């Protein structure tokens, strides 16, 4: 029998790590600065966290470089790195409830999602790359008999990772797990809205046996700590997840510094195409609702544009609206809550601004549209649906990153593809149909890094994830992620 957990009581007992983790130890920012880490659950200050700037980033990069150069991690055998990463995964799992609670308090997602979604996926991710790393072979090229050409994969060195707040630890794990598995040292900058789980997990990495300096965390602001990492002359690779706007800054930082490699996982405006011949319209409606309301729509591949074939428009949209009502925002610390908070006041105003824009531009508001639960001191917005959206409206073009669905109708498959591809983004696309030929044809025509058919589930850690167009380049997850954290060496030997 599982015992119900009193999450509020647990919260009052938490010890929050609020310092930077550099060279295997917690420390204050060099200039002593801190920032308030606010909980969107109720607006309370959870901690005053070290606000790292260029000096601290420099210390962390130096620690990472020293660790890389003396081989304390990079020179360990793949089998030894595997053992340590599996131990790391086990520690994350063991402290899973504490980490889930930190995530919920810090960014406002429902505790059930933090536990069953985020923490579980983080554990799997770290374990998966640990398991993978001693099963990869390098290559020998087809040369004349008089030569031997080895093509080997080497760690790239010091990896800087800058991540967002929507899945704070999971987005970080998609970077640090493959980077560490490949033998690199990592300097991670979590989002200022959600630094707490990264700091806790850095400590668990050390406990698992990842040596000092190999995994560093520098909490702080984007313009200071993030920029310093992007511009650092001794960072070899910068891996980023966040908005398209900030992603572009990292290309500039690289060009203006040391030409470090940059990989970008940026925004999205996922089209979810529902044909009248969908085999299970109820499943499609559930996919549409979960696709935009899970995590309060703060999901890079949120199915924010619902493209419905005109014949089923009315029936389908009312089914989605009925399911949306189950997403009424509630207390994130209640295990029954399906929709929690919006990450902060700024994001709340941004989402409400888009809702106003939708009304002004002439879309029909059919559900929600309001901020709720203001008496809690936290930030919450109702599930919101706009109908009769035109793909040229702002709410169909810009990433809202909130629980706001835009419904658009189409008549033919060609029109659906045209609408779906008419976006600067290309992270994901979903489609629902009973016709296999149509599904394959359309999947090929869609310009997106992931296409799902008759499901919203784009797969776990075993498949790559990343964007076309301005959704970025480079892939997280799967063995393909290792390309970002390794470089190829050719060793050409004359033997005759
Ligand atoms: P964001 O504003 O782009 O921030 C992402 C990270 O970049 C944060 O750590 C941020 O620090 C930092 N940053 C901000 N300005 C910077 C600057 N001038 N120089 C260097 N670093 C800077 O994104 P967000 O609001 O946290 O997250 C939402 C975005 O992430 C959405 O666009 C979403 O689509 C995208 N996302 C994409 C994926 C994917 O896999 N494609 C997954 C999740 C989220 P601060 O803490 O100071 O803001
Ligand atoms: Mg926070």
């Amino acid at each position: 029998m599982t015992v119900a957990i009193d999450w509020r009581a647990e919260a009052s007992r938490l010890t929050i790590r609020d310092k930077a983790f550099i060279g295997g130890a917690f420390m204050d920012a060099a200039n002593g600065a801190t920032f308030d880490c606010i909980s969107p659950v109720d607006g309370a200050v959870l901690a005053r966290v070290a606000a790292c700037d260029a000096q601290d980033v420099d210390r962390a990069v130096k620690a990472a470089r020293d660790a890389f150069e003396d081989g304390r991690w990079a020179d360990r055998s793949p089998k030894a790195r595997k053992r340590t990463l599996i131990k790391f995964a086990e520690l994350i799992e063991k402290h899973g409830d504490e980490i889930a609670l930190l995530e919920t308090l810090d960014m406002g997602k429902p505790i059930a999602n933090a536990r069953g979604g985020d923490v579980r996926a983080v554990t799997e991710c770290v374990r998966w790359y640990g398991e993978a790393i001693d099963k990869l072979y390098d290559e020998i090229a087809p040369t004349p008999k008089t030569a031997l050409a080895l093509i080997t994969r080497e760690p790239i060195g010091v990896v800087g990772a800058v991540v967002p707040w929507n899945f704070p630890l999971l987005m970080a794990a998609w970077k640090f797990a493959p980077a560490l598995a490949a033998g690199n040292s990592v300097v991670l900058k979590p989002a200022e809205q959600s630094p707490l789980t990264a700091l806790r997990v850095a400590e668990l990495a050390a406990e698992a046996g990842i040596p000092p300096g190999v995994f560093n965390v520098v909490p702080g602001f984007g313009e200071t700590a993030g920029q310093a990492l992007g511009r650092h002359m001794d960072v070899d690779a910068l891996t980023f997840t966040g908005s398209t706007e900030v992603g572009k800054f990292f290309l500039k930082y690289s060009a203006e510094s040391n030409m470090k490699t940059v990989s970008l996982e940026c925004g999205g405006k996922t089209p979810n195409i529902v044909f009248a011949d969908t085999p299970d319209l109820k499943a499609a409606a559930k996919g549409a609702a979960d696709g935009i309301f899970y995590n309060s729509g703060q999901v890079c591949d949120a199915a924010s544009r619902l493209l419905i074939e005109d014949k089923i428009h009315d029936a389908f949209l009312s089914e989605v609206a009925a399911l949306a009502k189950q997403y009424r925002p509630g207390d994130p610390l209640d295990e029954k809550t399906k929709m929690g908070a919006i990450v902060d006041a700024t994001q709340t105003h941004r989402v409400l601004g888009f809702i106003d824009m939708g009304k002004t531009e002439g879309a029909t508001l059919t559900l929600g549209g309001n901020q709720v639960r203001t008496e809690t001191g936290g930030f919450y917005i109702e599930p919101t649906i706009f109908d009769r959206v035109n793909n040229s409206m702002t709410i169909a073009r810009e990433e809202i990153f909130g629980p706001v669905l835009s419904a658009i109708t189409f008549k033919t498959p060609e029109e659906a593809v045209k609408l779906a591809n008419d976006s600067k983004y290309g992270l994901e696309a979903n489609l629902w149909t009973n016709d296999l030929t149509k599904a394959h044809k359309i999947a090929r025509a869609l310009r997106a890094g992931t296409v799902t058919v008759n499901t919203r589930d784009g797969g776990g850690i075993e498949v790559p994830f990343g964007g076309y167009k301005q959704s970025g380049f480079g892939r997280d997850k799967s063995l393909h992620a290792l390309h970002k954290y390794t470089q190829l060496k050719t060793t050409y030997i004359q033997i005759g």
Side-chain angles (χ1 to χ4, degrees), residues 207-423:
E207 193 181 330
I210 291 177
V214 173
F215 186 29
N216 309 278
V217 180
V218 284
F221 294 98
E223 299 81 58
T224 48
Q227 174 158 202
L229 207 48
R231 290 189 182 277
H232 204 287
M233 293 301 288
D234 208 22
V235 169
D236 300 294
L238 193 294
T239 175
F240 169 80
T241 297
S243 62
T244 291
E245 185 192 355
V246 175
K248 289 179 182 179
F249 290 156
F250 281 97
L251 293 172
K252 193 170 86 151
Y253 300 157
S254 169
E256 290 174 357
S257 59
N258 65 340
M259 221 171 160
K260 59 180 68 63
T261 65
V262 174
S263 51
L264 305 173
E265 299 279 359
C266 299
K269 196 75 195 173
T270 294
N272 181 17
I273 309 170
V274 185
F275 287 101
D277 65 2
T278 296
D280 183 348
L281 279 167
K282 279 210 171 349
K286 186 170 182 313
D290 293 349
I292 185 65
F293 301 127
Y294 186 82
N295 214 36
S296 299
Q298 303 167 120
V299 181
C300 51
D301 63 346
S304 51
R305 288 188 296 151
L306 178 59
L307 274 48
I308 316 173
E309 189 168 345
D310 61 351
K311 281 184 260 186
I312 56 165
H313 169 273
D314 293 356
F316 189 75
L317 198 58
S318 43
E319 187 84 35
V320 175
L323 290 165
K325 288 179 188 142
Q326 296 173 4
Y327 276 93
R328 168 191 291 285
D331 178 8
L333 290 173
D334 179 342
E335 287 182 25
K336 291 190 289 298
T337 295
K338 276 189 84 167
M339 188 189 265
I342 302 291
V343 74
D344 62 11
T346 310
Q347 183 64 12
T348 303
H349 292 134
R350 199 170 161 265
V351 174
L352 293 171
F354 278 115
I355 293 174
D356 281 343
M357 193 105 66
K359 293 182 203 161
T360 313
E361 289 187 342
T364 309
L365 181 67
T366 61
L367 188 78
N370 301 304
Q371 186 174 359
V372 292
R373 289 173 57 79
T374 47
E375 71 287 356
T376 61
F379 313 107
Y380 300 84
I381 295 178
E382 296 175 293
T384 297
I385 300 180
F386 279 105
D387 193 12
R388 298 183 204 292
V389 175
N390 179 310
N391 202 50
S392 60
M393 290 176 184
T394 309
I395 53 170
R397 305 210 73 77
E398 297 301 323
E399 182 176 47
I400 298 175
F401 229 57
V404 182
L405 181 65
S406 294
I408 301 170
T409 33
F410 68 86
K411 286 195 169 63
T412 64
E414 294 70 29
E415 191 192 354
V417 170
K418 196 158 175 265
L419 286 166
N421 285 340
D422 178 19
S423 171

Side-chain angles (χ1 to χ4, degrees), residues 81-300:
R81 291 201 302 269
K82 167 175 103 170
R83 278 196 293 268
T84 306
L85 285 172
I86 290 175
K87 179 136 189 255
F88 184 20
E90 284 166 0
L91 285 171
I92 295 171
E93 195 163 44
K94 180 175 156 197
H95 296 279
D97 284 347
E98 177 198 346
I99 295 167
L101 179 57
L102 277 174
E103 205 78 302
T104 288
L105 291 171
D106 204 359
M107 74 70 67
K109 68 176 65 204
I111 188 70
N113 295 164
R115 240 178 149 195
D118 298 55
V119 172
R120 187 182 294 206
V122 168
T123 308
E124 190 196 10
C125 174
V126 175
R127 187 175 278 134
W128 197 88
Y129 285 104
E131 288 283 5
I133 205 65
D134 68 343
K135 297 169 189 68
L136 298 171
Y137 293 76
D138 286 329
E139 299 166 31
I140 294 178
T143 55
K145 270 191 167 174
T146 51
L148 175 66
L150 310 176
I151 304 169
T152 51
R153 206 168 266 290
E154 298 186 344
I156 197 160
V158 174
V159 174
V162 177
V163 298
W165 45 259
N166 59 338
F167 295 89
L169 192 57
L170 184 58
M171 294 303 99
W174 284 3
K175 315 289 192 198
F176 69 65
L180 292 172
N184 299 284
S185 297
V186 174
V187 179
L188 166 67
K189 194 208 84 70
E192 153 262 323
Q193 294 89 341
S194 57
L196 301 182
T197 48
L199 293 169
R200 178 67 178 112
V201 158
E203 189 179 32
L204 296 178
E207 193 181 330
I210 291 177
V214 173
F215 186 29
N216 309 278
V217 180
V218 284
F221 294 98
E223 299 81 58
T224 48
Q227 174 158 202
L229 207 48
R231 290 189 182 277
H232 204 287
M233 293 301 288
D234 208 22
V235 169
D236 300 294
L238 193 294
T239 175
F240 169 80
T241 297
S243 62
T244 291
E245 185 192 355
V246 175
K248 289 179 182 179
F249 290 156
F250 281 97
L251 293 172
K252 193 170 86 151
Y253 300 157
S254 169
E256 290 174 357
S257 59
N258 65 340
M259 221 171 160
K260 59 180 68 63
T261 65
V262 174
S263 51
L264 305 173
E265 299 279 359
C266 299
K269 196 75 195 173
T270 294
N272 181 17
I273 309 170
V274 185
F275 287 101
D277 65 2
T278 296
D280 183 348
L281 279 167
K282 279 210 171 349
K286 186 170 182 313
D290 293 349
I292 185 65
F293 301 127
Y294 186 82
N295 214 36
S296 299
Q298 303 167 120
V299 181
C300 51

